[in-house]
């Protein structure tokens, strides 16, 4: 007997039947008898019946082999593919070694799921990363040794990154941040201005050098009590001596633009710079008459000159949207301060708080909590307390709302006013690196090291992980909420607008192809659903691997990585 497929045409339609038939020989002829009609059986059941009638021995899949292990694989495959495109292994060291493989594993693992070195040692065997890099068993001590190996090569690796992404005359972004520290024994630890809002906790400072697009090139760790401006000379030395650049344009924020630093830059031929004036310096320009605010009622961009800044160009910008936001914020701060002063006045009026010294102490604890003390007039004596807004001071500050002044030593023929503004705004790319470094994506903190050299190596490891993630985000922009093609506006001062495509992604939560739009982390999670199974044939030592068939989003993510040009 066998299963036969019968097709019959009736009118314009074709009908298909699946019949179990038996062949009977009558003399020289073979006749087929229909035993059963199995057309309504599922296709899998018909196939099993066909094979059984053909004499094949059918057994359940579980009786043939067992799945010994299942490991997440897709996210490892994707990140390693980008690492390969970037030539990251050769960037670490020209010669293959176990230390190089371990360092690469730590970089990739920090992108996948950041954690301590002990956690990393465990996680390597919880995905296919250790297998893909041929690492075998790994313990935390090996990872610490590999971190030391990586730290010893930091200068050489940074020099290779600089040659790859910077060049003579390039614009270089430099910014500084800090991270608090839980321990007490590292020599780099000190109290300082905490950007993490952890006052009273020791911290470290680190400065980040990036190219114009925000791609990280170098990082340096400084003692936690060092002022930001004191970190700049080391970067100039790095760019000029270690990286060998004779000409470049340095973009730094206003906190770096001290007299000492600008004098140092002036003594370095070939170095251009763009920075900004601080608020007191802008007020002085207005007071001296160098900056006439009325000239910007109709225009939002212009150049002025001042004897206080010889050999420099001052580019004045006014953004009405920034002005409105500052006015709103000021009003909120004033109202919040009045809300805490009112109970003190009520206590004084009720006679429960008396004495000028006691009243002043109570007021002093709250008056400048929101940095608006200068906007209040206070009258305090032994039995009374009154406060009011200093409208003159408020109006004086409000007149400068939305104004900022950029300063540069670059000539007009090198960079016009509009391009000075556009270039300075690129500094935001370096600033955006710090939330990623500090956030759940890479977790530069908490710093789980005590030795100074390992703290520096840890920061460098995080930089390399950010370098890898930066390129992944660029490649996966079509699948993320990222604006793939931000519009270039003719007005450099105007607020940056997202493209219509990016707004559409944000509102619909869908990509241009109609797929679900992802964050970077959720896309890695989606890729991790591609699993590699290790299967063992029953009663034999033979094993074989199977990998989950990727879905549409996973396939698209992997295809996008193939489009990235390989770097030497």
């Amino acid at each position: 007997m066998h299963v036969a497929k019968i097709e019959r045409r009736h009118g314009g339609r074709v009908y298909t039947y699946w019949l179990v038939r038996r062949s009977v020989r009558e003399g020289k002829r073979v006749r087929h008898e229909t035993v059963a009609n199995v057309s309504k059986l599922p296709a899998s059941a018909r196939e099993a019946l066909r094979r059984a009638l053909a004499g094949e021995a059918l057994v359940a899949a579980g009786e043939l082999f067992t799945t010994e292990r299942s490991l997440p694989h897709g996210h490892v495959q994707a990140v390693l593919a980008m690492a390969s495109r970037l030539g990251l292994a050769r960037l670490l060291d020209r010669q293959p070694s176990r230390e190089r493989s371990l360092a690469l594993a730590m970089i990739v693992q920090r992108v996948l799921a950041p954690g301590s070195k002990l956690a990393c040692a465990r996680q390597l065997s919880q995905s296919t990363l250790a297998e893909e890099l041929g690492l075998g068993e790994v313990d935390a001590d090996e990872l610490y040794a590999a971190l030391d190996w990586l730290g010893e090569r930091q200068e050489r690796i940074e020099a290779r990154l600089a040659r790859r992404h910077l060049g003579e005359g390039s614009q270089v972004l430099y910014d500084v941040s800090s991270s608090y520290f839980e321990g007490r024994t590292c020599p780099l630890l000190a109290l300082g201005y905490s950007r993490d809002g952890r006052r009273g906790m020791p911290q470290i400072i680190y400065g980040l050098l990036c190219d114009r697009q925000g791609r990280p090139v170098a990082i340096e760790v400084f003692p936690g009590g060092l002022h930001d401006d004191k970190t700049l000379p080391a970067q100039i030395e790095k760019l000029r001596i270690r990286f060998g650049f004779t000409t470049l344009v340095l973009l730094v924020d206003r906190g770096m633009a001290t007299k000492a630093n600008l004098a140092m830059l002036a003594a370095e031929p070939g170095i251009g710079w763009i920075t900004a004036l601080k608020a007191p310096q802008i007020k002085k320009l207005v007071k001296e008459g160098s900056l006439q605010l009325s000239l910007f009622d109709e225009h939002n961009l212009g150049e002025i000159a001042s004897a206080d800044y010889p050999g420099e160009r001052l580019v004045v910008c006014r953004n009405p949207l920034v002005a409105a936001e500052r006015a709103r914020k000021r009003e909120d701060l004033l109202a919040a301060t009045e809300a805490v002063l009112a109970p003190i006045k009520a206590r004084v009026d009720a006679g429960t708080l008396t004495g000028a010294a006691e009243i002043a102490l109570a007021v002093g604890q709250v008056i400048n909590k929101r940095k608006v003390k200068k906007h209040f007039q206070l009258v305090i004596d032994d039995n009374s307390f009154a406060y009011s807004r200093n409208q003159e001071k408020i109006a004086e500050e409000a007149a400068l709302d939305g104004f900022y002044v950029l300063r540069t030593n670059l000539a007009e023929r090198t960079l016009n006013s509009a391009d000075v503004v556009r270039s300075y705004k690129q500094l935001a790319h370096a600033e955006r690196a710090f939330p990623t470094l500090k956030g759940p994506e890479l977790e530069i903190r908490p710093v789980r090291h005590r030795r100074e050299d390992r703290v520096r190596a840890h920061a460098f490891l995080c930089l390399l992980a950010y370098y890898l993630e930066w390129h992944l985000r660029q490649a996966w922009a079509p699948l993320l909420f990222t604006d793939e093609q931000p519009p270039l506006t003719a007005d450099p001062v105007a607020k940056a607008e997202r493209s219509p495509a990016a707004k559409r992604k944000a509102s619909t939560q869908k990509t241009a192809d109609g797929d679900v739009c992802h964050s970077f982390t959720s896309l890695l999670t989606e890729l991790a659903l591609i699993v590699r199974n290790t299967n063992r044939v029953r009663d034999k030592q033979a094993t074989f691997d199977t990998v989950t068939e990727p879905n549409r989003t996973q396939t698209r993510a992997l295809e996008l990585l193939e489009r990235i040009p390989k770097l030497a």
Side-chain angles (χ1 to χ4, degrees):
M1 289 192 294
H2 62 280
V3 176
K5 178 183 178 182
I6 307 299
E7 292 183 344
R8 292 178 179 172
R9 184 178 299 275
H10 183 73
R13 300 181 62 182
V14 176
Y15 296 90
T16 302
Y17 303 93
W18 297 89
L19 306 176
V20 176
R21 287 189 156 186
R22 179 173 55 193
S23 300
V24 179
R25 178 175 292 277
E26 293 180 348
K28 295 183 178 180
R29 297 179 59 188
V30 176
R31 179 170 56 84
H32 300 291
E33 293 182 351
T34 299
V35 177
N37 187 335
V38 294
S39 301
K40 293 185 178 181
L41 288 179
S44 57
R46 291 198 303 266
E47 176 63 17
L49 179 60
R50 183 194 67 77
R51 295 175 64 182
L53 292 177
E56 296 184 30
L58 302 181
V59 294
E63 297 176 8
L64 289 178
F65 64 89
T66 58
T67 300
E68 289 192 338
R69 184 179 59 178
S70 297
L71 292 176
H73 172 64
H75 59 335
V76 173
Q77 177 186 357
V79 179
L80 282 178
M82 177 56 79
S84 175
R85 292 277 167 182
L86 297 175
L88 191 55
R90 280 184 55 81
L91 191 70
L92 300 182
D93 197 67
R94 302 300 188 193
Q95 297 300 321
S97 65
R98 181 165 176 79
E99 291 80 4
R100 188 181 82 169
S101 297
L102 288 168
L104 180 60
M106 286 191 289
I107 295 168
V108 172
Q109 185 58 48
R110 187 153 291 273
V111 174
L112 299 177
S116 66
K117 303 303 176 288
L118 178 60
C120 181
R122 294 168 178 163
Q123 291 164 341
L124 287 175
S125 61
Q126 294 170 358
S127 72
T128 59
L129 181 55
E131 289 182 5
E132 290 294 306
L133 295 176
L135 295 176
E137 294 293 328
V138 177
D139 60 31
D141 289 338
E142 273 194 294
L143 295 182
Y144 282 122
L147 185 67
D148 296 338
W149 177 90
L150 181 65
E152 293 168 359
R153 285 158 177 77
Q154 178 173 352
E155 291 191 4
R156 278 174 279 175
I157 296 170
E158 288 179 341
R160 291 168 188 158
L161 286 172
R163 287 195 299 269
R164 177 182 284 186
H165 300 297
L166 300 177
E168 288 294 342
S170 293
Q171 292 187 358
V172 183
L173 315 179
Y174 179 64
D175 203 3
V176 172
S177 191
S178 62
S179 284
Y180 64 87
F181 218 99
E182 299 290 352
R184 291 288 187 275
T185 58
C186 179
L188 292 168
L189 298 185
L191 296 178
Y193 171 66
S194 176
R195 294 160 181 82
D196 303 327
R198 296 296 191 98
R199 295 179 61 186
M201 290 195 69
Q203 64 177 17
I204 56 172
I205 301 288
Y206 41 89
L208 184 66
L209 284 172
C210 301
D211 70 0
R212 196 173 192 273
Q213 288 74 39
R215 188 184 288 105
V217 171
I219 194 169
E220 186 164 354
V221 180
F222 301 94
L226 198 66
H227 288 287
D228 294 357
D229 59 286
K230 303 298 182 185
T231 68
L232 187 60
Q235 310 311 308
I236 300 302
E237 179 181 359
K238 184 183 301 182
L239 290 164
R240 294 299 293 265
I241 298 177
R242 276 178 47 193
F243 298 165
F245 296 123
T246 57
T247 59
L248 57 94
V249 178
L250 190 65
L251 285 81
V252 295
D253 68 19
R254 64 200 74 201
M256 306 280 183
T258 62
K259 288 184 178 180
N261 280 341
L262 294 181
M264 173 197 65
L265 291 173
E268 294 281 349
I271 292 188
W273 47 265
I274 302 173
T275 185
L277 294 182
K278 298 177 182 179
Q281 294 171 313
I282 298 176
K283 290 179 181 178
K284 186 179 179 183
L285 289 176
V286 175
K287 186 176 181 179
E288 293 175 346
S290 299
L291 173 55
Q292 299 181 35
L293 302 181
S294 60
L295 297 177
F296 293 87
D297 290 341
E298 300 295 333
H299 303 282
N300 63 2
L301 178 65
E303 278 199 38
I304 63 173
S306 172
D308 293 337
Y309 305 95
E312 297 181 23
R313 295 163 56 206
L314 301 180
V315 181
V316 183
C317 307
R318 182 179 184 275
N319 189 323
L321 295 177
V322 174
E325 176 60 20
R326 289 198 61 180
R328 183 201 62 77
K329 187 175 181 180
R330 184 189 305 107
E331 179 59 32
D332 290 346
L333 294 175
L334 291 171
T337 302
E338 288 172 333
V340 295
L341 290 175
I344 299 175
K345 177 172 172 54
R347 290 169 59 196
V348 174
D349 292 343
T352 58
L353 179 61
T354 60
E358 293 298 323
I359 297 172
L361 181 62
V363 172
Q365 290 176 341
V366 299
I367 185 64
N368 206 35
K369 187 175 181 181
R370 294 172 176 83
K371 310 299 182 185
V372 290
K373 176 184 177 182
K374 59 187 175 183
H375 293 324
F376 282 94
Q377 293 174 325
L378 307 175
V379 179
I380 300 174
D381 59 29
D382 286 339
N383 297 303
S384 65
F385 166 53
Y387 61 90
S388 61
R389 295 187 182 186
N390 188 331
Q391 296 297 342
E392 183 179 347
K393 287 283 188 182
I394 294 173
E396 181 182 337
E397 182 179 273
L400 293 176
D401 284 351
F403 279 93
Y404 58 95
V405 181
L406 305 182
R407 57 190 299 197
T408 180
N409 67 339
L410 297 172
E412 170 73 22
R413 65 179 180 275
T414 303
L415 212 63
N416 61 36
S417 298
D419 287 336
V420 169
V421 178
R422 292 190 181 97
S423 296
Y424 187 76
K425 285 187 173 183
Q426 294 297 113
L427 194 57
H429 289 313
E431 295 169 353
R432 292 191 195 108
F434 296 121
T436 302
L437 284 168
K438 295 181 180 185
E441 294 93 343
L442 296 178
E443 285 188 4
I444 194 172
R445 62 186 186 197
V447 183
R448 300 178 175 91
H449 301 282
R450 298 181 180 181
R451 287 171 27 186
E452 178 179 340
D453 59 337
R454 283 188 177 166
V455 171
R456 296 183 185 278
H458 167 73
F460 182 54
L461 174 71
C462 292
L463 171 115
L464 293 173
Y466 179 63
Y467 178 78
L468 182 54
E469 181 170 322
W470 188 94
H471 286 89
L472 283 167
R473 287 179 181 271
Q474 298 297 311
W476 285 339
L479 301 177
L480 308 179
F481 287 98
T482 306
D483 193 347
E484 301 166 53
Q485 295 181 329
L488 297 175
T489 59
D491 184 357
V493 182
K495 178 184 176 181
E497 292 287 343
R498 302 195 77 192
S499 67
K503 292 178 181 178
R504 191 160 47 249
K505 280 200 291 186
S507 62
T508 64
Q509 314 292 306
K510 300 286 186 179
T511 67
D513 296 330
D515 297 323
V516 174
C517 209
H518 280 276
S519 68
F520 180 79
T521 304
S522 70
L523 184 55
L524 281 180
T525 303
E526 177 74 19
L527 285 165
L529 298 178
I530 300 177
V531 176
R532 178 190 289 170
N533 295 317
T534 300
N535 309 292
R536 180 175 298 280
V537 179
R538 283 192 178 275
D539 302 325
K540 295 184 179 180
Q541 296 299 315
T543 62
F544 63 96
D545 290 342
T546 56
V547 178
T548 308
E549 191 72 20
N551 62 27
R552 174 170 165 156
T553 298
Q554 295 162 343
T555 301
R556 175 74 168 145
L558 296 173
E559 287 175 350
L560 287 170
L561 299 180
E562 296 299 318
R563 300 181 182 182
I564 304 300
K566 287 189 175 182
L567 298 178

